[in-house]
Amino acid sequence: MSAISIILTTYNSETWLEKVLWGYTMQSYTNFELIIADDGSTTETKNIIEKFQTKFQNPIIHVWQKDEGFQKTKILNKAIIKASCEYILFSDGDCIPRYDFVATHIKNKKKGCFLSGGYFKLNDFVSNSISEIDIKNQSCFQSKWLLENGLKWNFKLIKLTKNSFFAYFMNWITTTKKTFNGHNTSCFKEDLIAVNGFNEDMKYGGLDREIGERLFHNNIRSIQIRYSAICLHLNHDRNYATKENWLNNNNIRQFNKQNKVIAIQNGLSKYLNNET
């Protein structure tokens, strides 16, 4: 049986998803279950998944729902129910993991906590420049390669450090909050069930932070690993982000914070007795 379930969200981003899946074929820790939480993609995404089915120790699980607009919280809840492992890692189909990404989450997991990671954001040119070979030889995670392929130098390049002592030090001194980040977070499945999963009243904008805040209300703490668990974020448009959705989401978060809400009403419980 797998030791960890990895949930990747995607929607009609086959080129990016393929790069990400190559990243998971290179992991030093291989005993994982990969679940693609697909918010209504076409058959092209299914074809990419089938291409990779034989490249992992365990079969990829494809959880798909009909395209009815942005429903990420809904497909995430369905994917959580499908996860067979007690521990779950969340990331996105546009985040290429470094070879030690899964191993880092396994190494740092701790009861009563969730792990809070980040990403290194790329521009369009660099995102498109990364090839299968660059992922397999891990050159795309090197500052030198990135700078030679169109990235402008910035201080955030230190995120890509391979020095574990320096990474530990940076995790300790960073002022970045230890939030639940859907592109790089892991936790125990039982803790997600206790807060009734993701809030399906929310669209794009802070939906991952919100579940983290409810985990805090339930005495689940967070551990910073943003300099240890490395993934590259491929650039893309967010035409599903609207001012109205942000306002609605912020109102929900504010209410839940003020009232110390733990388990929301519209969550994963509806799928527990009828796995979809």
Side-chain angles (χ1 to χ4, degrees):
M1 181 178 177
S2 304
I4 184 171
S5 296
I6 303 170
I7 296 178
L8 304 178
T9 56
T10 193
Y11 173 72
N12 286 334
S13 301
E14 301 83 17
T15 302
W16 278 187
L17 180 62
E18 183 171 13
K19 293 175 191 277
V20 171
L21 291 177
W22 280 122
Y24 282 98
T25 67
M26 302 309 298
Q27 293 301 297
S28 60
Y29 187 92
T30 60
N31 187 23
F32 56 80
E33 170 185 74
L34 199 56
I35 302 172
I36 307 298
D38 186 349
D39 192 13
S41 299
T42 65
T43 54
E44 291 182 34
T45 292
K46 182 179 179 181
N47 294 337
I48 292 294
I49 294 171
E50 289 178 350
K51 172 183 174 180
F52 280 86
Q53 280 291 7
T54 60
K55 300 184 184 301
F56 296 101
Q57 183 173 325
N58 303 291
I60 301 174
I61 299 170
H62 186 195
V63 183
W64 181 90
Q65 66 187 11
K66 184 178 179 181
D67 185 359
E68 294 179 339
F70 186 91
Q71 297 187 98
K72 185 175 180 178
T73 50
K74 185 175 181 179
I75 198 64
L76 279 169
N77 283 336
K78 291 179 179 179
I80 291 168
I81 298 301
K82 288 290 185 182
S84 65
C85 303
E86 68 168 9
Y87 198 70
I88 300 177
L89 191 166
F90 293 91
S91 193
D92 288 326
D94 55 16
C95 291
I96 306 175
R98 196 170 68 182
Y99 75 95
D100 56 350
F101 185 73
V102 179
T104 298
H105 278 271
I106 290 286
K107 178 183 177 181
N108 289 279
K109 71 174 183 176
K110 184 179 180 181
K111 279 285 190 180
C113 300
F114 68 81
L115 304 182
S116 175
Y119 59 51
F120 186 85
K121 191 171 185 179
L122 306 178
N123 58 36
D124 283 333
F125 186 81
V126 180
S127 297
N128 285 291
S129 297
I130 296 176
S131 69
E132 176 187 334
I133 294 174
D134 298 322
I135 297 168
K136 286 185 173 180
N137 64 25
Q138 298 287 288
S139 59
C140 57
F141 294 94
Q142 299 171 10
S143 299
K144 183 176 182 291
W145 185 95
L146 292 169
L147 293 170
E148 289 175 348
N149 285 272
L151 186 75
K152 292 183 179 180
W153 189 93
N154 66 79
F155 180 74
K156 291 182 179 180
L157 279 165
I158 66 170
K159 282 184 181 179
L160 302 179
T161 180
K162 285 187 177 180
N163 186 308
S164 59
F165 296 103
F166 180 71
Y168 178 83
F169 175 72
M170 292 303 296
N171 288 332
W172 179 58
I173 69 168
T174 182
T175 57
T176 303
K177 292 182 178 180
K178 298 175 286 186
T179 52
F180 193 107
N181 303 319
H183 51 265
N184 189 350
T185 282
S186 59
C187 61
F188 286 88
K189 181 175 179 177
E190 63 182 7
D191 294 333
L192 296 170
I193 292 174
V195 300
N196 203 17
F198 287 87
N199 192 335
E200 295 186 16
D201 289 333
M202 300 181 73
K203 300 295 184 182
Y204 177 79
L207 59 90
D208 45 358
R209 302 290 179 89
E210 191 271 341
I211 191 173
E213 288 154 3
R214 286 186 283 113
L215 287 169
F216 287 144
H217 297 161
N218 202 32
N219 296 317
I220 303 299
R221 301 301 92 192
S222 56
I223 298 173
Q224 183 70 268
I225 59 166
R226 66 186 291 104
Y227 288 88
S228 304
I230 306 301
C231 61
L232 301 176
H233 183 269
L234 303 167
N235 198 35
H236 61 87
D237 293 328
R238 291 182 173 83
N239 50 20
Y240 42 75
T242 68
K243 184 177 180 180
E244 180 183 1
N245 287 340
W246 273 104
L247 180 61
N248 176 65
N249 288 1
N250 286 337
N251 287 339
I252 290 173
R253 290 177 65 188
Q254 190 63 32
F255 177 87
N256 290 349
K257 284 181 183 179
Q258 290 177 349
N259 294 277
K260 302 294 183 183
V261 172
I262 294 175
I264 40 83
Q265 294 296 316
N266 191 15
L268 60 72
S269 58
K270 65 171 72 72
Y271 310 114
L272 282 173
N273 297 320
N274 182 26
E275 296 191 13
T276 304

